[in-house]
């Protein structure tokens, strides 16, 4: 009798160990990625204001180009994890190679657009005559590293599907270190200016992709998986990723609309909104680490035909999401005055920040559940539902956000609109999770 309650506790401890083992390294890798841009900004910033302005414009374009294809990591993780759960490692790595080949194809397509179109793309952002040449130079050179970055996304998905998030962490740390050294050496040592910063980043990105390819190729040879491109497999990877592309574009549209609305509210609101978005991104990295663990774990359980294990893992990760969200919410609420002082001394901006940050704190528990369920459904390969759910969320958010300038409320009202967006996402994802329709077992969905 006394030992009866230990079984659920043992199961929870097992899930906790799995989540921690995958989420902690994933968080480190996620945080390391934006450090690339921070290093570039720090180095280029000492060259002059026009150079830094050019970098900012080019970086915004490059970040968008790469983030749009994040489905290469998400879809590959789910597909590989299923096959790992089914015990077919050769097929898992073969699936991963299809994702890598797709990344190379997409990367080549992006280069074909960006190289000749760089002046036009920079012009869309309204770059000044002094900043535009630097933006064009940085954009054209850095575009050569986009195939490598997309390979990194796909290969990261392969390793996550294989339940390995440590290797991506080590590669990210190595890439960041190499990028920092190359930037300083090429910008100042070789006197290449902003072009040196771009070349340093490209070399670091290619190095990261090469390391990933070595790891994946070794795994393929060990398990007898083919490395040749398979058109059917590449097409299947593209089809699996298409709904996630729609989801990502819809999510980015939400952020773009929020920024546009903030711009209509005034300069102080735009500045305050940018500060909030930087905090929002940091919190998102932490929550996304749990979601990444969810992708890998759920995919493996479903591939092993363990529907019960998948449900239990989902339930435990939701509990993690709630706990993390409550913790982050309390931290944001308590640290608001200190956080504001770190970023600005402008009293008008501070006045806009203080109540808006309270909204950010309040919605963190909701965000925790949303991120986790997003990861669970991605791990289940439930991309089409995620696409439709995000489109519905965008349809609700857009009119509400656009009415903010008309009815007043300033930045705080805008972030209440963002809170509504997260609540809509919560409802759509929760209904799907409760329905159980995402639970499709087997090596393929």
């Amino acid at each position: 009798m006394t030992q009866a309650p230990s079984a659920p506790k043992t199961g929870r401890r097992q899930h906790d160990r799995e989540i921690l083992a995958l989420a902690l390294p994933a968080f480190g890798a996620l945080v390391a990625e934006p450090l690339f841009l921070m290093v570039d900004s720090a180095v280029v910033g000492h060259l002059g204001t026009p150079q830094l302005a050019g970098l900012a414009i080019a970086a915004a374009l490059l970040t968008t180009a790469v983030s749009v294809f994040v489905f290469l990591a998400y879809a590959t993780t789910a597909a590989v994890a299923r096959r790992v759960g089914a015990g077919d490692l050769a097929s898992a790595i073969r699936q991963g190679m299809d994702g890598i080949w797709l990344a190379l194809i997409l990367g080549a397509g992006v280069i074909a657009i960006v190289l000749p179109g760089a002046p036009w793309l920079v012009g869309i952002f309204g770059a000044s005559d002094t900043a535009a040449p630097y933006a064009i130079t940085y954009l054209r050179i850095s575009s050569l590293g986009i195939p490598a970055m997309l390979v990194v996304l796909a290969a990261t998905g392969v390793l996550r599907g294989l339940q390995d998030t440590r290797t991506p962490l080590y590669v990210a740390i190595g890439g960041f270190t190499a990028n920092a050294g190359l930037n300083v050496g090429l910008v100042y040592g070789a006197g290449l200016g902003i072009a040196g910063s771009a070349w340093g980043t490209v070399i670091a990105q290619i190095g990261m992709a090469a390391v990933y390819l070595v790891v994946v190729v070794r795994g393929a040879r060990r398990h007898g998986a083919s490395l040749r491109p398979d058109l059917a497999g590449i097409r299947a990877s593209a089809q699996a990723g298409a709904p996630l592309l729609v989801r990502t574009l819809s999510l980015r549209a939400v952020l773009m609309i929020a920024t546009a609305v903030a711009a209509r509210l005034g300069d102080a609101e735009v500045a305050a909104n940018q500060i909030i978005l930087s905090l929002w991104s940091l919190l998102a990295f932490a929550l996304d680490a749990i979601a990444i663990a969810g992708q890998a774990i759920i995919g493996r359980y479903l591939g092993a035909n363990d529907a019960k294990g998948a449900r239990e893992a989902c339930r435990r990760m939701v509990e993690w999401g709630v706990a993390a969200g409550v913790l982050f919410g309390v931290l944001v609420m308590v640290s608001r005055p200190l956080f504001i002082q770190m970023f600005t001394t402008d009293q008008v901006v501070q006045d806009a920040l203080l109540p808006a940050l309270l909204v950010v704190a309040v919605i963190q528990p909701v965000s925790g559940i949303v991120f986790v369920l997003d990861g669970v459904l991605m791990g289940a390969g439930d991309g089409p539902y995620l696409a439709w759910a995000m489109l519905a969320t965008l349809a609700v958010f857009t009119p509400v956000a656009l009415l903010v300038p008309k009815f007043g409320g300033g930045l705080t009202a805008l972030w209440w609109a963002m809170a509504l967006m997260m609540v809509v996402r919560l409802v759509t994802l929760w209904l799907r999770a409760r329905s159980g329709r995402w639970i499709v077992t087997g090596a393929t969905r």
Side-chain angles (χ1 to χ4, degrees), residues 121-179:
L121 291 169
V122 169
I124 291 177
F125 274 68
S128 66
D129 292 339
T130 54
Y134 296 111
I136 293 169
T137 296
Y138 191 92
L139 181 59
R140 278 179 166 160
I141 296 173
S142 294
S143 69
L144 301 177
I146 287 179
M149 284 306 296
L150 298 189
V151 167
V152 167
L153 286 176
T156 299
V158 176
L159 295 182
R160 288 173 181 170
L162 294 171
Q163 318 296 297
D164 176 10
T165 56
R166 290 183 179 273
T167 299
L169 171 61
Y170 299 148
V171 175
I173 293 173
F176 165 72
T177 304
N179 182 54

Side-chain angles (χ1 to χ4, degrees), residues 27-397:
F27 174 68
L30 288 169
V31 171
E33 290 173 8
L35 293 178
F36 269 79
L37 179 57
M38 290 181 63
V39 168
D40 288 7
S41 299
V43 173
V44 172
H46 288 86
L47 294 175
T49 300
Q51 289 89 333
L52 185 58
L55 170 65
I57 293 169
L61 287 165
L62 290 165
T63 300
T64 300
V66 174
S67 63
V68 161
F69 297 113
V70 73
F71 70 84
L72 290 167
Y74 295 158
T76 304
T77 297
V80 171
R82 275 185 175 271
R83 287 161 175 79
V84 169
D88 189 354
L89 290 178
S91 177
I93 297 176
R94 173 66 261 179
Q95 179 71 35
M97 284 304 306
D98 292 335
I100 290 174
W101 280 112
L102 176 61
L104 288 170
I105 293 170
L106 292 174
V110 173
I111 289 179
I113 294 172
V114 173
L115 275 180
W120 178 75
L121 291 169
V122 169
I124 291 177
F125 274 68
S128 66
D129 292 339
T130 54
Y134 296 111
I136 293 169
T137 296
Y138 191 92
L139 181 59
R140 278 179 166 160
I141 296 173
S142 294
S143 69
L144 301 177
I146 287 179
M149 284 306 296
L150 298 189
V151 167
V152 167
L153 286 176
T156 299
V158 176
L159 295 182
R160 288 173 181 170
L162 294 171
Q163 318 296 297
D164 176 10
T165 56
R166 290 183 179 273
T167 299
L169 171 61
Y170 299 148
V171 175
I173 293 173
F176 165 72
T177 304
N179 182 54
L182 287 166
N183 264 263
V184 173
L186 293 175
V187 171
Y188 298 115
L192 296 179
I194 194 170
S197 176
W199 279 117
T201 301
V202 168
I203 293 170
Q205 291 167 344
I206 292 174
M208 292 171 65
V211 172
Y212 273 118
L213 288 175
V214 168
V215 173
V216 174
V217 168
R218 283 180 178 174
R221 289 176 175 171
R222 187 182 309 118
H223 298 287
S226 173
L227 298 173
R228 295 178 180 178
D230 176 59
L231 292 180
I234 295 172
R235 191 182 304 113
S237 294
Q239 290 172 345
L244 296 181
L245 174 61
V246 173
R247 167 203 168 274
T248 301
L249 289 174
S250 301
L251 186 55
R252 290 199 67 84
V254 166
L255 298 177
M256 290 176 64
I257 291 170
T259 301
V261 170
R264 293 173 63 185
L265 297 175
D267 291 345
E269 284 75 9
V270 172
N273 189 62
Q274 185 58 38
I275 293 171
I276 294 176
L277 286 176
S278 67
L279 175 63
W280 181 271
S281 297
L282 178 61
L283 296 173
F285 284 137
L287 296 174
D288 203 29
I290 305 175
I292 287 170
Q295 294 172 30
I297 293 170
I298 293 298
R300 193 190 73 231
Y301 274 116
L302 294 178
N305 294 310
D306 188 353
K308 179 183 178 182
R311 288 193 188 91
E312 292 175 349
C314 174
R315 187 179 304 111
R316 188 55 177 163
M317 279 182 283
V318 168
E319 293 171 358
W320 270 71
V322 172
V326 170
L327 174 62
F328 295 156
V330 171
L331 289 176
V332 171
M333 195 173 298
V334 171
S335 64
R336 279 185 303 155
L338 177 61
F339 178 80
I340 291 172
Q341 290 293 334
M342 287 173 57
F343 282 89
T344 181
T345 57
D346 188 317
Q347 189 60 49
V348 178
V349 177
Q350 289 183 357
D351 291 343
L353 273 171
L354 198 62
L357 282 173
L358 180 61
V359 180
V360 173
V362 168
I363 62 176
Q364 284 311 298
V366 173
S367 298
I369 301 174
V370 167
F371 273 78
V372 167
L373 291 180
D374 211 33
V376 166
L377 296 184
M378 283 184 190
D382 204 11
Y385 182 83
L386 290 173
W388 284 111
M390 197 60 227
L391 285 171
T393 301
L394 177 61
V396 172
F397 169 78

